[in-house]
Amino acid sequence: MSKDVLYLKIAKSVTEQIKSETLQFGDKLPSLRSAQKLYNVSLNTVKQAYMELESHSLVESRPKYGYFVSQTSQRKLALPSIAKMKVSETKNSPEDLIDKVFGTIAGKDMTQFALGIPGESFLPLPKLKKSMINVIKSKNDSGTDYEPVQGNEHLRREIAKWAMVLEGKITENDLVITSGAMNAVYNCLMAVTKPGDWVAVESPVYFGVLQAVQLLGLKAVEIPTHPIDGVDLDELKKVLPKLSACCFVTNFNNPLGFQMPDESKKELVRLITEYNVPLIEDDIYGNVYFGAERPKPCKFYDEAGLVMWIGSVTKVLAPGYRVGWVAPGKFKDKIIRQKLVQTVCSPSLYSDVIADFLEHGRYDHHLRMFRKKLYANYLQIQKSVAAYFPDNTKVSEPKGGFMLWLELDKRICTEDLYDEAFSQKINFAPGRMFSQYNQYQNCLRLNYALEWTDRVESDLEKLGKMIKNRF
Amino acid sequence: MSKDVLYLKIAKSVTEQIKSETLQFGDKLPSLRSAQKLYNVSLNTVKQAYMELESHSLVESRPKYGYFVSQTSQRKLALPSIAKMKVSETKNSPEDLIDKVFGTIAGKDMTQFALGIPGESFLPLPKLKKSMINVIKSKNDSGTDYEPVQGNEHLRREIAKWAMVLEGKITENDLVITSGAMNAVYNCLMAVTKPGDWVAVESPVYFGVLQAVQLLGLKAVEIPTHPIDGVDLDELKKVLPKLSACCFVTNFNNPLGFQMPDESKKELVRLITEYNVPLIEDDIYGNVYFGAERPKPCKFYDEAGLVMWIGSVTKVLAPGYRVGWVAPGKFKDKIIRQKLVQTVCSPSLYSDVIADFLEHGRYDHHLRMFRKKLYANYLQIQKSVAAYFPDNTKVSEPKGGFMLWLELDKRICTEDLYDEAFSQKINFAPGRMFSQYNQYQNCLRLNYALEWTDRVESDLEKLGKMIKNRF
């Protein structure tokens, strides 16, 4: 029997065990070495078999922990549906709703499913404090000097070194430090558009992007977006000639959680290059993967300097620091000029602290803990939603990040549900926030990067009951 | 003899002494008590006499030090001339020159007359460091929490308390924290204009304002500006109906150094109110006065909520902290919305440190030292320019701040002079940077907030020689 057939045979055998629920969601497959003995084959053959299973999304690998049966393999709830392209429909931005939800975020006694940032128990607070004190003690100027407009050199060097996923395609000279990722998105949009221009975004889309588009006097076209594959490239192609920019979150999208497949990323870069349309790639969740490795950003495939690759520490390390960055390709000089005019430079201390964290491996160490904890929460919330929410609930299948997107029965209005949940000290982000049209009213986004307590569990149960009671 | 006539008699007697150069520039008048005995009058009469002299700019009072003969009383050099209004002339922004000058600012072995910020010896570095460490130690979240979008509440409260010059007209609720004053100017412009709109600025004008105007797609009209009184209100009135905003530095203007008289401020506010044109008032130098007291900003006279009053700690305490603020009157909500979209919030640590400085009187203490040192430098640079520069040099007469504006012989091009001075490790800001038209080529701006050493003195002598050698 050839090796090829051997690995397929093993894969088939495991597939059968999953179908029959002998192996269930979350179960660990035998380790590579155990399986080698079990099937009496080479280590490589086992690896091939497991990779085959992974390519069909039946199992998921978690670095250093092994392979686990994935949720996809046995999902009971359907995926959210895909919205149609709406260009002519009247826009109606959900500013009042956003203000309302943001206005309640400060409440410390809330179960915070609405937040777009991780809870404090996910952050290395004592280490950050220590690093800050060390940095301050070492600064002769007490932080009063201006930084270079482009940003702290030490930080830019460490980000470039740390961006191994780009395989050396960027250096410190390619990076500009920004005041968080939103500041980078805002400045990238400003650099490549003029008022009245069209920009493509996903649908549902992170509301901050819509707000930036509006502030700059631009128009957004919401491209139909698949919950597993991301933006529909055929639909995008139809509007591409009239676009001034695309603005996408390609890895562990907010709110859908998808990871755009590599082939789609390549095709996207090919398309924008053909039409000479800059792509603003917000890759702030890229390091929060549940799979084997950090996925490539589109920037990796960019030869023309059209991809503006954005990162930040907001989502994994220190939201309040407002440290982000962008590798803006050929638009670098414009971005630097804009930053000079808008703020002169970034404050130095936070840059130094983050550079210190990156340089001494503390960021890497923290991320490993962060992903592990987050993946456990992800399994928890999937189970809880399946257990407590109605059977017709549709749910996303994030491959990383910390957002779950739910589509409820058509009769449910999550804006109303929000008020009821709020009175029970439960918070979430209503779906209406994620579009400029009157849609996603029966959807909601849940943040699961919070300390998983009994209260969280019982609050999800409460939320499920509130929904069931509505029909 | 009535009291009225008495004080005038004393004033006249001192005036005579000044005219005859018995009392010279920088000389101290007798203290109030000495003068009381000398003239055998009441303390109040002496005070009235000295205030009369001050109102004619013959003497200047310095709090706690007494009254001094002013430079105006015996100036040997003329005031800079006033540019005409140019609306039709082709614009030609000096971006390359600005880039060149900014590019050399990092050189530590330069005599930095070009900088727009004070040298390190003017800043309380150890106290800032101590305050930062205290703040960090006290922060349970290690600074990772988001601040309120409007800005740190403690800082806003302290700024409101500290803004005594406004006599209680603003509270913490009226303020928004920004990333330095330029960020406030940028956001104020954005809040009250749309692309293509006209904005009035001074002439010469701080180049950062022109850059912000350009970035936002606006058009600037440079209003003729008097080196002692500020913007010519008659000229402003002619264009006011077509303006969307005015953007002025009313106290210790950069680069001219004037302090707009109270009557002019009142009239300015009356005019903008009549025409409903918002005034962006950049008051970042307001606390750096050489006179008896902190001058009022236009904001003080504003009843309609049209004045957007801007401050920061950049010019006196900590340039690199990027802590500024604005009291945007009726445009507050718009400014907060813009800030949310552009950067989510400000980083917390710097806000806490500045709040701490304000609350515990350290800012006040520092400013007293700062003003004293700066006034000494001002007297020095005026003397040096009079001694070393050609007699046809025209020079501004700042009433505060740390910028001196010079107008040289028509044949001198300060862009060329810049290159020669640079080769001698001397830096300054060529006049061409301060207009969008081809003018002020024979002007330059000198920053005198630097440690006054023998080298600084000899560098001014060198600069004077370079100028003399050019004709």
Side-chain angles (χ1 to χ4, degrees), chain A residues 100-277:
Chain A
K100 184 163 121 178
V101 175
F102 261 88
T104 64
I105 268 177
K108 290 275 180 197
D109 59 341
M110 280 274 146
T111 297
Q112 288 287 7
F113 294 118
L115 276 173
I117 51 171
E120 276 192 3
S121 68
F122 275 77
L123 306 176
L125 301 184
K127 281 186 186 169
L128 284 171
K129 185 177 279 197
K130 202 177 153 195
S131 182
M132 287 181 104
I133 290 173
N134 287 343
V135 164
I136 289 169
K137 285 185 176 165
S138 72
K139 289 181 89 70
N140 291 330
D141 70 339
S142 300
T144 58
D145 275 0
Y146 277 158
E147 295 261 288
V149 183
Q150 189 172 350
N152 185 294
E153 286 172 46
H154 184 194
L155 177 58
R156 285 189 282 122
R157 196 159 54 245
E158 293 305 323
I159 292 168
K161 273 160 65 180
W162 212 86
M164 286 159 296
V165 68
L166 291 173
E167 298 181 14
K169 292 194 176 186
I170 63 162
T171 71
E172 62 201 85
N173 291 327
D174 300 314
L175 289 159
V176 182
I177 305 303
T178 62
S179 175
M182 260 318 292
N183 187 246
V185 169
Y186 172 82
N187 270 294
C188 288
L189 281 171
M190 186 178 230
V192 300
T193 64
K194 51 183 195 314
D197 283 1
W198 283 94
V199 177
V201 299
E202 290 118 348
S203 185
V205 59
Y206 167 54
F207 44 85
V209 172
L210 288 181
Q211 290 176 314
V213 161
Q214 200 178 8
L215 182 56
L216 291 166
L218 307 172
K219 289 178 282 188
V221 47
E222 298 181 17
I223 311 290
T225 304
H226 189 273
I228 298 291
D229 299 329
V231 156
D232 185 323
L233 295 181
D234 291 331
E235 295 286 323
L236 176 66
K237 211 172 158 177
K238 291 179 194 165
V239 294
L240 209 42
K242 73 164 183 171
L243 296 180
S244 292
C246 296
C247 187
F248 298 143
V249 182
T250 53
N251 292 318
F252 321 128
N253 177 271
N254 174 9
L256 280 177
F258 62 79
Q259 171 188 336
M260 213 177 180
D262 282 351
E263 285 310 312
S264 303
K265 284 175 183 155
K266 276 185 214 170
E267 176 60 10
L268 173 57
V269 173
R270 198 192 63 69
L271 283 172
I272 61 142
T273 307
E274 186 185 333
Y275 289 90
N276 196 32
V277 175

Side-chain angles (χ1 to χ4, degrees), chain A residues 95 99 102 108 117 120 123 125-126 128-129 132-133 136-146 179 182-183 186 190 195 208 211-212 215-216 314 317-322 337-338 340-350, chain B residues 95 99 102 108 117 120 123 125-126 128-129 132-133 136-146 179 182-183 186 190 195 208 211-212 215-216 314 317-322 337-338 340-350:
Chain A
E95 290 306 318
D99 287 348
F102 261 88
K108 290 275 180 197
I117 51 171
E120 276 192 3
L123 306 176
L125 301 184
L128 284 171
K129 185 177 279 197
M132 287 181 104
I133 290 173
I136 289 169
K137 285 185 176 165
S138 72
K139 289 181 89 70
N140 291 330
D141 70 339
S142 300
T144 58
D145 275 0
Y146 277 158
S179 175
M182 260 318 292
N183 187 246
Y186 172 82
M190 186 178 230
Q211 290 176 314
L215 182 56
L216 291 166
T314 300
L317 186 59
Y321 282 23
R322 313 315 301 130
R337 167 66 48 94
Q338 288 172 197
L340 173 68
V341 175
Q342 288 170 22
T343 63
V344 184
C345 64
S346 310
S348 63
L349 176 73
Y350 296 101
Chain B
E95 290 306 318
D99 286 348
F102 261 88
K108 289 275 181 195
I117 51 172
E120 276 191 3
L123 307 175
L125 302 184
L128 285 171
K129 184 177 281 196
M132 287 181 104
I133 290 175
I136 289 168
K137 286 186 175 163
S138 72
K139 286 182 90 71
N140 292 331
D141 69 339
S142 299
T144 59
D145 275 0
Y146 278 159
S179 176
M182 260 318 292
N183 187 247
Y186 171 82
M190 185 178 229
Q211 290 177 315
L215 182 59
L216 292 166
T314 300
L317 186 59
Y321 282 24
R322 314 312 303 128
R337 168 66 48 92
Q338 289 172 196
L340 172 69
V341 174
Q342 288 170 24
T343 63
V344 184
C345 65
S346 309
S348 63
L349 176 72
Y350 295 102

